[in-house]
Amino acid sequence: MHPRPLWKRLAGAVVRRGIGATLGALALIASFVLAGTAAGTSSAAAQPAGVSSTGQWACSGAAIPEGWVITAFNKDGCGGWGSWFQEPEADGLYSCGGSPIIQGYVLTDYIKYGCNGMGAWRHNLVRDGIWTCGGSPIVAGYVVTGYMVYGCNGVGAWFHQIAKAGLVTCPNSPIPAGFRSGAYWSGGCSGHGGYYLAVA
């Protein structure tokens, strides 16, 4: 019940039943309100804000289940040794630096102060025409065709496309099976130079 109706009833009780009965009612109301507050506090302590309920806390060095990533860090966990929150990989999920990157995912954003100061990276499923952070995996069948020096919050960002003949790839791009590097163009890869992709 909302506190306002409770206090209105309390005031009415003072008039009707006298101060003794009212003090008893007040004690009951206070215990109800405090119990609710305590329950909410313990729930919040067990489940920190912004952490999904689909995962688990584990001590530093614990095995990470296959297909899972690390999304939060508690430096005071596990008796001061530190604990990490593990949960299943998902599109758009931010994970801590050093977390596994599940096959088919790329890094698309970086928050320097994320993961309680450890740094956090956004994981997205790869798709044609996605910008990824420097250091992101390049998924098989994709090539890198552009670069932004200030992308990904200053880390630098690379443009990924599904490989096809005629694209101009950056010098660091993988060349998928069935293709080869062709002629060089100095204006390719956002001015860094690039090679036309040709069928092998």
Side-chain angles (χ1 to χ4, degrees):
M1 182 179 288
H2 193 275
R4 183 173 291 176
L6 288 173
W7 291 117
K8 287 176 90 173
R9 286 185 183 186
L10 181 60
V14 170
V15 173
R16 289 190 311 272
R17 303 172 71 185
I19 205 82
T22 303
L23 287 175
L26 179 59
L28 183 61
I29 291 168
S31 67
F32 171 76
V33 171
L34 290 174
T37 304
T41 303
S42 77
S43 173
Q47 186 62 38
V51 175
S52 166
S53 61
T54 59
Q56 63 190 14
W57 283 99
C59 296
S60 294
I64 302 169
E66 187 174 349
W68 287 38
V69 291
I70 298 168
T71 57
F73 173 63
N74 177 6
K75 63 181 177 60
D76 299 317
C78 293
W81 291 99
S83 60
W84 301 87
F85 193 74
Q86 305 170 343
E87 61 181 303
E89 177 73 288
D91 193 34
L93 194 65
Y94 277 87
S95 71
C96 301
S99 172
I101 304 167
I102 307 306
Q103 187 173 359
Y105 284 82
V106 289
L107 305 178
T108 59
D109 189 29
Y110 175 63
I111 300 175
K112 183 178 181 179
Y113 300 106
C115 200
N116 203 16
M118 302 294 292
W121 301 85
R122 186 170 65 203
H123 292 204
N124 283 105
L125 284 165
V126 69
R127 64 178 185 274
D128 193 27
I130 194 169
W131 284 96
T132 68
C133 301
S136 172
I138 301 172
V139 176
Y142 283 77
V143 290
V144 177
T145 59
Y147 176 65
M148 274 195 305
V149 66
Y150 298 112
C152 209
N153 284 320
V155 174
W158 300 90
F159 194 65
H160 286 210
Q161 291 183 272
I162 295 173
K164 62 182 176 184
L167 289 177
V168 179
T169 63
C170 298
N172 67 326
S173 176
I175 305 300
F179 293 91
R180 63 177 176 82
S181 289
Y184 176 77
W185 177 42
S186 61
C189 193
S190 306
H192 291 272
Y195 297 88
Y196 282 94
L197 198 61
V199 176

